[in-house]
Amino acid sequence: MAVLVTGGAGYIGSHTCIELLNEGYEIIVLDNFTNSNPESLKRVEEITGKIFKTYEVDLLDKESVKEVFETNNIESVLHFAGLKAVGESVSLPLSYYQNNITGTVILCEIMQEYGVKNLVFSSSATVYGTPDKVPIKEDSKLGATNPYGRTKHMIEEILRDVAFSDPSWSIALLRYFNPIGAHVSGRIGEDPNGIPNNLMPYISQVAAGKRQQLQIFGNDYPTKDGTGVRDYIHVVDLAVGHLKALEKVQYTKGIDTFNLGTGIGYSVLEMVETFEQVSGRTVPYSITERRSGDISICYADPNKAREQLNWQATRGIEKMCEDTWRWQYHHPNGYDNKLNINNERTPVQHAAGFFNV
Ligand code: WQD
C-alpha cells in the first residue's frame, strides 16, 4: 500500500518524502513541476537510497489523476500541491482558487471513487490573519487577509463537509507557521523562483552575495525590536509532523486541525543576527516601509500536536540557519546549479521511477 504525495517535488514535499522513505513507507509522487524541480526528487533518491514512482501530473487533469489511482494501490494521501505565494495570490486570485481549491476537490473526488479516505492536508497559519492574541491556538478566530490564505481556509471547510458527509474519512489539517531550513545533507532545500518573497531565502541569498541587501519591512511594530515576529519551524521538524499526522489518520476517523510551530517567536533582526553568527557572513540591510498585509506578531501554541500527535519541534533557530546556509552555500542558484557556462539550464535527468500517464 502506498502513500501518494502531491507536490512531492516541492520544498516541504521533498523533505517529507525523505522522512517517509526512511520510515519504510512506499511513496508515489504526483507533481506538475510548475513550482518545483524534478532534480529535488533525484536528490531524495540519492539521500535515501530508495526509488519511487513519480508522475508529472496536474491535479486539474482529472483523467490523469484517476489513472494514477487506477494503476497504484494507494492507502493515504499527503496533499502539498498548490500555489503558495501571498503576494502573487493578490494579483492572480482566480488561478489560486482554480489550482488550490478545484485541484483539491478533484483529488478528493477521485480518492472517494477509489475508497482512499486518509488525507493529510497542507494548510497554513495564514488562515488566522491578524491574531487576537498569541500564542495562537487551533480554535483561535480565523480571518485570512489574502486569496492564498482564503484558499487554505476554504479547503479546510470543504474537507470538514466531506468528513461530515462520510464518517469513514480520516483527515488531518496541518497549519504550518514559517517553514525554513533544509535537510542536513545540504542537497535539498528551498528554491524560490526569482526574487524570494520570504525572509529566510532572501537573507541566505544576501549572505551568498546573490542579492545586495535585505529590506526589512518596517521596524515600528509593537515588538521587542520593532520588526515582525514569526514562529520559524525547521522544515525537517515539519516533515516529521506529517508522519505523525499520517499515523493518526491511518488509525482514527474524523477530521482535526493541528498547529505545526515551535511556540517561539523570533524577530526579523534576531533572524539576521543569528544567520550572521552561524554563517560568518554579513547581511547588510535597510529599513523600509511595512509590507502591506503583514502582521506584527504570529506564533503558535503547539500543545495540541504535542499531546495528540506525540510531536514537537526539536530543532532551534541556529540549526535552522546552519542548515539553510549549507544548502545556499552549495547551491547559489538552487537546483539550477546545473546552469552551464552560458547560464542555460541543462536538461534535468528525471528521477529513476519517472512516469508520464
Ligand atoms: C516573515 C517576516 C516580514 C521578507 C508567509 C506566508 C505564510 C507562509 C510563510 C505559506 C515578516 C519580514 C520578509 C523580506 C522582511 N507561507 N520580511 N523582508 O509573511 O510571515 O508568511 O510565508 O504558507 O502563509 O504568509 O513570511 O518570510 O514573508 O515574512 O522584512 O524581504 O520577515 O515583514 O515580518 P510571512 P515572510
Side-chain angles (χ1 to χ4, degrees):
M1 298 286 271
V3 176
L4 176 69
V5 185
T6 76
Y11 173 44
I12 301 166
S14 56
H15 282 86
T16 305
C17 285
I18 288 175
E19 301 306 317
L20 287 164
L21 290 165
N22 288 342
E23 192 71 15
Y25 284 100
E26 178 196 348
I27 70 168
I28 295 166
V29 171
L30 180 155
D31 203 304
N32 67 6
F33 299 119
T34 55
N35 229 359
S36 57
N37 192 317
E39 178 66 20
S40 66
L41 298 175
K42 279 195 69 197
R43 305 288 178 90
V44 170
E45 284 185 356
E46 168 199 304
I47 291 164
T48 61
K50 300 189 176 174
I51 62 170
F52 48 88
K53 287 183 185 178
T54 297
Y55 292 89
E56 184 171 4
V57 165
D58 189 312
L59 284 177
L60 298 179
D61 177 355
K62 187 164 188 174
E63 284 314 305
S64 296
V65 178
K66 189 169 175 167
E67 182 64 20
V68 175
F69 279 78
E70 184 67 33
T71 50
N72 293 282
N73 196 0
I74 294 166
E75 178 193 31
S76 304
V77 177
L78 299 188
H79 178 32
F80 296 99
L83 299 176
K84 61 160 191 163
V86 169
E88 184 186 57
S89 78
V90 175
S91 50
L92 298 172
L94 291 176
S95 66
Y96 272 69
Y97 288 117
Q98 176 76 331
N99 277 281
N100 293 4
I101 295 178
T102 308
T104 302
V105 170
I106 289 171
L107 173 67
C108 291
E109 283 176 334
I110 294 170
M111 286 176 70
Q112 188 153 280
E113 187 178 334
Y114 283 86
V116 180
K117 307 264 181 91
N118 297 334
L119 173 63
V120 177
F121 173 61
S122 163
S123 190
S124 167
T126 316
V127 300
Y128 294 113
T130 305
D132 287 342
K133 61 186 174 59
V134 285
I136 300 173
K137 292 180 181 296
E138 286 81 355
D139 60 1
S140 295
K141 178 180 67 63
L142 303 186
T145 58
N146 56 73
Y148 161 74
R150 280 190 277 274
T151 67
K152 293 298 186 181
H153 185 180
M154 292 176 195
I155 292 168
E156 287 192 10
E157 292 306 310
I158 290 166
L159 294 177
R160 281 192 189 91
D161 289 339
V162 167
F164 182 76
S165 72
D166 175 353
S168 66
W169 279 82
S170 182
I171 302 172
L173 309 174
L174 304 185
R175 291 176 181 163
Y176 309 160
F177 281 70
N178 290 57
I180 63 171
H183 186 263
V184 66
S185 65
R187 298 288 289 156
I188 65 170
E190 190 170 8
D191 184 14
N193 292 329
I195 300 172
N197 298 306
N198 296 135
L199 178 67
M200 183 50 84
Y202 206 105
I203 286 178
S204 62
Q205 289 188 13
V206 170
K210 190 169 174 170
R211 307 244 173 240
Q212 289 298 310
Q213 67 169 228
L214 171 71
Q215 291 187 326
I216 296 182
F217 301 141
N219 66 347
D220 57 350
Y221 287 103
T223 62
K224 53 188 97 168
D225 57 25
T227 62
V229 170
R230 295 292 185 275
D231 184 332
Y232 297 97
I233 176 170
H234 197 292
V235 64
V236 176
D237 277 331
L238 196 60
V240 173
H242 283 74
L243 267 68
K244 296 291 189 182
L246 177 60
E247 282 168 31
K248 178 170 171 63
V249 299
Q250 287 176 330
Y251 299 108
T252 60
K253 295 299 176 196
I255 185 168
D256 212 344
T257 307
F258 301 95
N259 285 339
L260 295 191
T262 65
I264 305 168
Y266 287 95
S267 73
V268 176
L269 284 172
E270 286 175 319
M271 296 302 286
V272 170
E273 189 183 320
T274 306
F275 200 91
E276 290 184 325
Q277 284 164 3
V278 162
S279 66
R281 299 288 179 96
T282 56
V283 178
Y285 63 82
S286 62
I287 305 289
T288 64
E289 291 303 305
R290 295 182 177 190
R291 178 173 64 178
S292 75
D294 271 356
I295 58 179
S296 57
I297 303 180
C298 176
Y299 59 89
D301 176 334
N303 286 318
K304 184 177 176 186
R306 184 173 48 75
E307 290 156 10
Q308 297 187 26
L309 296 181
N310 185 29
W311 169 90
Q312 64 184 25
T314 60
R315 294 163 177 85
I317 212 72
E318 291 79 10
K319 177 71 171 149
M320 295 181 216
C321 292
E322 182 188 314
D323 291 344
T324 301
W325 179 234
R326 188 179 304 107
W327 155 255
Q328 179 71 62
Y329 180 80
H330 292 291
H331 298 84
N333 296 310
Y335 291 113
D336 272 349
N337 253 17
K338 292 176 177 270
L339 292 179
N340 59 27
I341 50 169
N342 304 320
N343 207 28
E344 293 151 352
R345 179 185 292 195
T346 49
V348 172
Q349 302 303 319
H350 285 315
F354 202 96
F355 292 73
N356 278 311
V357 288

